[in-house]
Amino acid sequence: MGPGGACWRGGGVPRGWRRWLSSSAPAPRVAVVGSGPAGFYTAQHILKHHGGVRVDIYEKLPVPFGLVRFGVAPDHPEVKSYGAEDNRVLGIPGENLSGVYSARAFVGWYNGLPENRDLKPDLSCETALILGHGNVALDIARILLSPLQLLRKTDITDGSLAALACSKVKRVWLVGRRGPLQVAFTIKELREMINLPGARPVLNPADFTGLENAVKDAPRPRKRLTELMIKTALEKPGEKTVEAQAAAPREWELKFQRSPQEVLPTADGRRARGVRMALTRLEGSGDSAKAIPTGDVEELECGLVLSSIGYRSLPLDPAVPFDTQRGVIPNSSGRVEGVPGLYCSGWVKRGPTGVIITTMNDSFDTAQSVLEDLQVGVLDVSTSREGFGAVESILRSRGVRPVSFSDWEKIDAAEVARGKAAGKPREKIVDPQEMLRLIGH
């Protein structure tokens, strides 16, 4: 269910299961690999409905919670939502030039993900271009354009805050292959972006003319989202809004029906100076509409390119089946095809879509499969399993000392104390070696 590594043990015993536990049957053991939302929700559901089970959760980092800690924007703590360890590549010339970053790496950088702590993105240009029309793209645009006094109150890392304080970026383009009716962000995030202090929204009225009729019968969330864009694009703002927007030092713009063809290099061939876009037309309607190149192209000048076209899971082990096309483990309700006793949950199960509530329900579905298989005898629990006891001895023989949950609590307390001193909720430690020193490893 996720990338694996360090571990701790969990298990609750509801009153109704006391009699079951007193029988001679050994307690079933479940190992959850990955301590992100999918892992925790799966464990929670199993423990809640089968008090005799013991669950061990394994995590590769010294700190738990996956995307809840590392994937959600620091100014959105209320939604801190084997995750997707990789990002989808653009597959176009120039995407490896300096100044081009994946959304995953950029988000990891400002959220303190250890593997991205040395990213050092160059923010010396005036215009940034984000490829993608999802919530992650909006998150990045908001972080790039937010007033520093707002970011200082969050748990954004100190190094990222220092870099953003020196940033020259004052214009962000959010570019998508399809049209306004296919954007993937949600209304709450869009409204927050429209109301961002010091940043002016730019929506081309021509993109939205006549769309009122097209969304009349659309599902309510899509209808409300489109109506908000139409209002922003077509309605004349009030006097106060006009004054605020005129004084705004920064701006962001939604651009539609453009597909990236090539990241254009500077004269020395080292850095990005822009992106050549193929203009597209839409075939079909609604979410299934396809973007078809028209043959026309356009060059957008920018010095920072961020690709937010989706995350991607990686194969776990040759013994575990993996669909390389879809980037998921083939499964039925979380049961891994052809490998009895192995289950998957979260993005490696269904692909990198949805928000935290989607992952919760998806994890409960997988957990229900485990519970059903325990109940009907598909899983052999007749003999006692050692669980973490066996893993611990293997780790010890390799000189690996795992981080326990109480160790994590020491790291947590240290981060909160450092944050308090700086007037923030926490100051994340981004170096795993420093984390280990802190707990005496």
Side-chain angles (χ1 to χ4, degrees):
M1 292 171 211
C7 147
W8 58 92
R9 189 174 291 167
V13 187
R15 197 174 298 156
W17 288 92
R18 296 270 161 81
R19 194 183 310 147
W20 186 90
L21 281 176
S22 64
S23 72
S24 58
R29 302 296 295 247
V30 174
V32 173
V33 182
S35 70
F40 267 106
Y41 280 131
T42 304
Q44 177 197 28
H45 193 80
I46 291 171
L47 290 168
K48 183 178 178 182
H49 297 282
H50 193 317
V53 169
R54 295 298 301 275
V55 178
D56 300 327
I57 302 182
Y58 297 83
E59 167 59 51
K60 70 175 180 178
L61 291 170
V63 292
F65 308 136
L67 281 187
V68 174
R69 178 180 168 99
F70 296 119
V72 176
D75 58 342
H76 276 192
E78 77 285 356
V79 294
K80 281 191 177 289
S81 39
Y82 138 74
E85 282 196 272
D86 202 4
N87 52 275
R88 288 174 57 198
V89 295
L90 292 166
I92 60 172
E95 71 176 302
N96 295 319
L97 288 169
S98 178
V100 183
Y101 307 93
S102 73
R104 185 183 182 280
F106 195 77
V107 170
W109 168 71
Y110 63 63
N111 269 330
L113 185 61
E115 68 189 67
N116 300 129
R117 68 186 187 273
D118 298 322
L119 191 71
K120 294 184 176 59
D122 185 347
L123 306 178
S124 62
C125 62
E126 287 195 355
T127 303
L129 187 151
I130 303 173
L131 295 163
H133 278 166
N135 279 347
V136 174
L138 279 186
D139 279 349
I140 293 171
R142 200 177 61 254
I143 296 297
L144 283 171
L145 298 176
S146 282
L148 282 177
Q149 65 266 27
L150 294 184
L151 293 179
R152 281 197 186 100
K153 298 172 186 168
T154 73
D155 71 357
I156 192 169
T157 62
D158 203 37
S160 310
L161 194 60
L164 288 163
C166 301
S167 170
K168 298 284 193 292
V169 175
K170 63 179 184 182
R171 184 183 304 107
V172 175
W173 291 327
L174 295 117
V175 186
R177 291 178 301 114
R178 301 192 294 170
L181 296 177
Q182 289 79 35
V183 294
F185 39 72
T186 48
I187 190 165
K188 178 181 177 292
E189 278 65 27
L190 178 64
R191 187 181 289 116
E192 184 178 1
M193 194 70 201
I194 289 169
N195 296 326
L196 186 67
R200 176 175 61 255
V202 179
L203 279 72
N204 184 351
D207 290 329
F208 298 92
T209 307
L211 281 194
E212 292 97 331
N213 290 331
V215 287
K216 271 183 181 169
D217 301 321
R220 189 165 180 267
R222 172 67 67 191
K223 188 167 184 270
R224 288 177 63 227
L225 175 66
T226 310
E227 283 171 350
L228 177 59
M229 289 189 285
I230 291 170
K231 182 182 177 190
T232 308
L234 301 180
E235 282 190 17
K236 191 178 178 185
E239 198 174 318
K240 277 189 179 176
T241 308
V242 169
E243 286 176 14
Q245 290 186 356
R250 294 175 293 278
E251 68 176 37
W252 60 276
E253 181 176 350
L254 292 177
K255 289 181 179 288
F256 301 99
Q257 292 182 230
R258 290 164 169 86
S259 181
Q261 274 190 336
E262 181 183 358
V263 179
L264 303 167
T266 50
D268 62 10
R270 292 182 184 174
R271 291 193 44 77
R273 66 166 177 87
V275 182
R276 180 183 293 117
M277 294 285 180
L279 303 188
T280 66
R281 59 181 173 80
L282 295 187
E283 263 186 19
S285 60
D287 291 342
S288 60
K290 295 263 190 304
I292 311 296
T294 62
D296 293 327
V297 297
E298 174 186 71
E299 290 188 4
L300 296 175
E301 298 287 322
C302 58
L304 177 64
V305 181
L306 294 146
S307 167
S308 181
I309 58 167
Y311 288 20
R312 181 175 178 79
S313 294
L314 295 172
L316 192 61
D317 183 272
V320 179
F322 190 76
D323 182 336
T324 51
Q325 290 294 108
R326 295 174 55 222
V328 296
I329 293 173
N331 70 91
S332 174
S333 292
R335 296 177 179 93
V336 176
E337 287 180 12
V339 191
L342 190 64
Y343 303 80
C344 58
S345 184
W347 285 0
V348 81
K349 172 186 175 185
R350 70 175 191 278
T353 58
V355 290
I356 207 112
I357 191 94
T358 326
T359 293
M360 182 182 79
N361 291 326
D362 170 83
S363 302
F364 290 171
D365 172 65
T366 292
Q368 202 57 41
S369 295
V370 175
L371 292 167
E372 286 169 14
D373 291 354
L374 279 170
Q375 190 177 3
V376 300
V378 170
L379 300 175
D380 177 19
V381 292
S382 59
T383 54
S384 182
R385 306 291 208 284
E386 275 192 80
F388 179 57
V391 175
E392 189 175 28
S393 59
I394 295 168
L395 292 174
R396 194 179 292 123
S397 72
R398 295 177 181 175
V400 177
R401 186 174 164 192
V403 174
S404 67
F405 197 80
S406 57
D407 287 333
W408 147 246
E409 289 175 326
K410 291 176 192 170
I411 297 170
D412 181 41
E415 289 186 341
V416 170
R418 292 181 188 190
K420 192 175 181 183
K424 300 166 63 177
R426 76 170 60 237
E427 182 61 58
K428 287 178 187 165
I429 299 167
V430 297
D431 183 354
Q433 292 309 313
E434 188 181 345
M435 294 177 190
L436 297 179
R437 283 196 299 272
L438 192 71
I439 57 179
H441 271 39

